[in-house]
């Protein structure tokens, strides 16, 4: 249709075959453990309603605009995030040092991947547990014990962590359209379907009303500086923002696709999946008094088997569900390491397979620290890890510090430095008002909010230390 961008060179890694492939791939990156595993458990730990509201606000006014800025940088340069930022600094006359945003992003991606694959491994384990009938008529206590048993088995954790890392390696090694595009296209629709089945189950068999009330009745007294920062950090995590994943995918986006509309679609889909996951899980949690809403990382894995164990066709649906969670995690993991790999290919001239192997290998090694966080290192919470286990520390450092900072720097760079002609070329704004709104959000709103929230949390921590 519009060919005003047809001069943009193609990426050497290939291009998505259509706007829809981009939407599916970007949704594949965004929708993952963040939506299905992390969102319910952090909402549970942070009191529900008010936390969810902060999360939704952050998605709408901070996350989606920054996502557009990322895709802008990626498609403009059609390079990996480090080089994309560099190309942009040359076009706009900004300092060369902005490229360190890209470097920080590559590192954040590897850190996230290291623990992401361990949790995705839990889902793989549950596929096999489900298919072998372990969950049939399981009680809440039994389900809790089963999850505890997995965490207490370092060999199993290591095996599944290794399997998942290998699966991710295979996809990224096969390249953009064959590897990344294909997975996204075929798997995403099934995930939506499986969640819908669970939603119906929660409605029929769980305490649906209590679940809805918990998620959507804001109780602002439950909100602390800490929980606001967690909600904001999660907005970045769930949209895959702040480290260049979406920038890397933007580099493979067809020139004719409209960035604004496309990203809005991705953001809405991602949010819907998280909310539906919450609406499926909390009715089950509230129907079983022994499960605590604040149960933490085990919430999904403890609550859902009870549902599968008691529903008709539960064996089949449970197996399918955990397989889909694993696949959703898979298509997200790919985007966590793609920036590093694209960078090694472009800048070091490595073959894709070598780059993918080395990057996946590093993440696997680092992941051993997360595996150990559930065993020998469970009580290892030194001051220099801010009293976190290594697993919790990596999660905190990336979601609550690196991603928001990376995102804000991207927002500032694009909104203050982009030449008007470049903005027009990539965004193709039809109305001046839309452009003004986007620039306003990127220039003022997101940096202020992010820094303010970080300052509140810092202040809260310092005053707790003093107390
Ligand atoms: N968004 C994914 C999820 O919710 C995780 C993810 C993939 C991610 N790529 C990312 C998070 C890049 C941060 C940055 O599961």
């Amino acid at each position: 249709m519009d060919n005003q961008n047809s001069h943009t060179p193609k990426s050497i890694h290939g291009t998505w075959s259509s706007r829809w492939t981009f939407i599916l791939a970007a949704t594949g990156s965004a929708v993952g453990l963040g939506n299905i595993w992390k969102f319910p458990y952090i909402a549970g730990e942070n009191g529900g309603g008010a936390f969810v509201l902060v999360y939704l606000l952050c998605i709408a006014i901070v996350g989606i605009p920054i996502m557009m800025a990322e895709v802008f940088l990626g498609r403009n340069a059609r390079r990996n995030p480090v080089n994309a930022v560099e190309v942009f600094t040359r076009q706009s006359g900004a300092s060369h040092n902005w490229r360190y945003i890209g470097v920080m992003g590559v590192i954040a991606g590897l850190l996230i991947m290291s623990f992401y694959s361990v949790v995705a491994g839990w889902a793989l384990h549950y596929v096999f547990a489900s298919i072998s009938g372990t969950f049939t008529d399981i009680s809440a206590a039994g389900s809790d014990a089963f999850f505890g048993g997995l965490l207490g088995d370092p060999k199993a954790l290591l095996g599944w962590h290794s399997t998942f890392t290998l699966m991710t390696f295979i996809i990224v090694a096969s390249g953009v359209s064959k590897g990344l595009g294909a997975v996204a296209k075929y798997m995403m629709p099934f995930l939506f379907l499986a969640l819908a089945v669970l939603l119906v189950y929660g409605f029929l068999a769980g305490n649906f009303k209590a679940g809805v009330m918990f998620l959507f009745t804001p109780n602002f007294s439950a909100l602390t500086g800490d929980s606001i920062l967690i909600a904001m950090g999660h907005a970045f995590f769930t949209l895959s923002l702040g480290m260049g994943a979406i920038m890397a995918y933007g580099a493979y986006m067809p020139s004719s696709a409209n960035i604004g509309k496309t990203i809005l679609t991705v953001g809405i889909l991602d949010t819907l999946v998280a909310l539906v996951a919450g609406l499926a899980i909390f009715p089950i949690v509230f129907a079983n008094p022994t499960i605590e809403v604040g149960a933490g990382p085990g919430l999904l894995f403890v609550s859902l088997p009870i549902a599968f164990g008691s529903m008709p066709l539960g064996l089949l649906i449970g197996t399918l569900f955990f397989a889909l969670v694993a696949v959703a995690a898979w298509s997200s993991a790919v985007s966590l390491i793609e920036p590093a790999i694209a960078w090694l290919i472009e800048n070091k001239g490595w073959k894709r397979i070598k780059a993918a192997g080395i990057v996946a290998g590093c993440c696997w090694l680092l992941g051993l620290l997360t595996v150990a966080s559930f065993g020998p290192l469970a009580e290892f919470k030194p001051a220099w890890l801010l009293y976190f286990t290594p697993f919790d520390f990596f999660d905190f450092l990336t979601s609550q510090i690196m991603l928001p900072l990376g995102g804000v720097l991207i927002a500032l760079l694009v909104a203050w430095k982009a030449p008007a002609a470049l903005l027009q070329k990539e965004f193709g704004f039809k109305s001046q008002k839309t452009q003004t709104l986007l620039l306003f959000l990127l220039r003022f709103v997101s940096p202020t909010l992010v820094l303010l929230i970080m300052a509140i949390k810092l202040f809260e921590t310092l005053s707790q230390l003093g107390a």
Side-chain angles (χ1 to χ4, degrees):
M1 296 243 310
D2 91 16
N3 271 327
Q4 55 176 332
N5 300 329
S6 56
H7 306 298
T8 319
K10 286 204 169 178
S11 161
I12 60 164
H13 309 283
T15 305
W16 309 114
S17 43
S18 73
R19 183 174 98 94
W20 268 102
T21 324
F22 173 83
I23 292 186
L24 286 170
T27 310
S29 163
V31 173
L33 296 172
N35 309 60
I36 304 166
W37 160 72
K38 199 172 175 192
F39 170 72
Y41 101 71
I42 58 178
E45 282 183 334
N46 292 282
F51 175 90
V52 174
L53 194 67
V54 175
Y55 155 79
L56 291 175
L57 278 176
C58 288
I59 294 273
I61 61 181
V62 180
I64 291 185
I66 293 183
M67 204 170 192
M68 293 180 186
E70 272 205 32
V71 173
F72 165 83
L73 286 177
R75 192 171 72 175
N76 168 55
R78 298 224 177 268
R79 302 277 156 74
N80 72 70
V82 183
N83 296 12
V85 173
E86 202 170 326
V87 166
F88 180 78
T89 58
R90 269 187 262 123
Q91 288 167 318
S92 61
S95 156
H96 189 68
N97 289 331
W98 285 96
R99 67 194 289 277
Y100 290 106
I101 309 177
V103 177
M104 179 170 81
V106 165
I107 297 171
L110 304 189
L111 288 175
I112 297 175
M113 177 63 187
S114 78
F115 68 81
Y116 204 82
S117 62
V118 177
V119 178
W122 302 347
L124 288 176
H125 183 73
Y126 270 60
V127 173
F128 291 90
S130 186
I131 207 168
S132 58
T134 312
F135 302 143
T136 308
D137 294 324
I138 200 166
S139 65
S143 182
D144 197 38
F146 181 78
F147 182 66
L150 170 62
L151 290 192
D153 183 353
K155 269 202 216 111
L157 293 183
L158 184 65
W160 292 117
H161 163 57
S162 311
T163 310
F164 187 80
T165 308
L166 189 71
M167 285 164 55
T168 309
F169 161 78
I170 292 172
I171 297 289
V172 275
S174 16
V176 171
S177 51
K178 256 193 277 155
L180 310 189
V183 170
K185 204 152 52 193
Y186 296 110
M187 302 303 181
M188 294 315 293
F190 282 106
L191 183 72
F192 290 120
L193 209 68
L195 277 173
V197 171
L198 272 178
L199 184 66
V200 173
Y201 175 85
F203 185 74
L204 295 178
N207 188 344
F208 198 70
K209 189 160 163 242
V212 173
M213 297 271 288
F214 180 75
L215 277 174
F216 298 112
T217 318
N219 163 16
F220 290 100
S221 63
L223 225 46
T224 60
D226 198 33
S227 58
I228 297 176
L229 179 61
I230 294 177
M232 179 192 71
H234 188 64
F236 283 88
F237 186 92
T238 191
L239 292 177
S240 303
L241 287 186
M243 53 78 56
I246 291 297
M247 209 187 296
Y249 278 23
Y252 315 142
M253 186 190 203
S255 305
S256 56
N258 177 312
I259 295 183
K261 264 195 251 156
T262 310
I263 292 307
L264 213 55
T265 314
V266 175
I268 291 173
L269 285 175
D270 185 76
T271 309
L272 278 179
V273 174
L275 294 179
V276 172
L279 284 174
I281 289 172
F282 284 110
I284 301 167
V285 170
F286 288 113
N288 291 279
T290 51
I291 309 179
E292 268 184 61
V293 268
L299 190 67
L300 169 86
F301 295 95
V302 172
S303 60
L304 290 191
I306 303 170
F308 296 130
S310 66
M311 67 165 79
L313 294 180
L315 202 98
L316 185 77
I317 298 174
T319 308
L320 188 71
F321 177 79
F322 285 111
L324 288 165
V325 172
V327 171
W330 198 13
S331 61
S332 298
V334 160
S335 75
L336 283 167
I337 58 175
E338 172 65 17
I341 292 164
W343 180 76
L344 288 170
I345 297 173
E346 286 173 37
N347 293 32
K348 305 274 168 219
W350 290 9
K351 287 231 158 55
R352 183 167 266 277
I353 188 157
K354 175 176 167 197
I358 298 224
V359 169
C362 290
C363 294
W364 180 83
L365 265 180
L366 209 59
L368 299 181
L369 286 172
T370 291
V371 168
S373 296
F374 297 102
L377 294 183
E379 296 308 320
F380 180 72
K381 300 174 183 175
W384 56 273
L385 289 183
L386 306 175
Y387 307 101
F388 286 123
T389 62
F391 163 62
D392 288 328
F393 179 74
F394 287 153
D395 181 20
F396 165 78
L397 177 68
T398 50
S399 307
Q400 294 176 50
I401 311 277
M402 293 174 91
L403 300 179
L405 279 185
V408 163
L409 289 172
I410 289 167
L412 291 173
L413 175 65
V414 168
W416 288 102
K417 297 289 184 186
L422 211 57
L423 284 176
Q424 190 55 39
K425 171 170 170 274
E426 287 301 332
F427 284 108
F429 290 115
K430 295 222 174 60
S431 103
Q432 188 60 38
K433 278 205 198 108
T434 331
Q435 169 160 346
T436 312
L437 176 67
L438 180 66
L439 290 183
F440 177 74
L441 290 173
L442 290 173
R443 280 183 181 169
F444 303 106
V445 179
S446 52
T448 313
L449 269 181
V450 169
L451 296 180
L452 187 73
I453 291 172
M454 286 185 165
I456 294 175
K457 152 88 179 192
L458 190 67
F459 183 75
E460 196 181 86
T461 312
L462 290 180
S463 58
Q464 275 163 359
L465 287 180

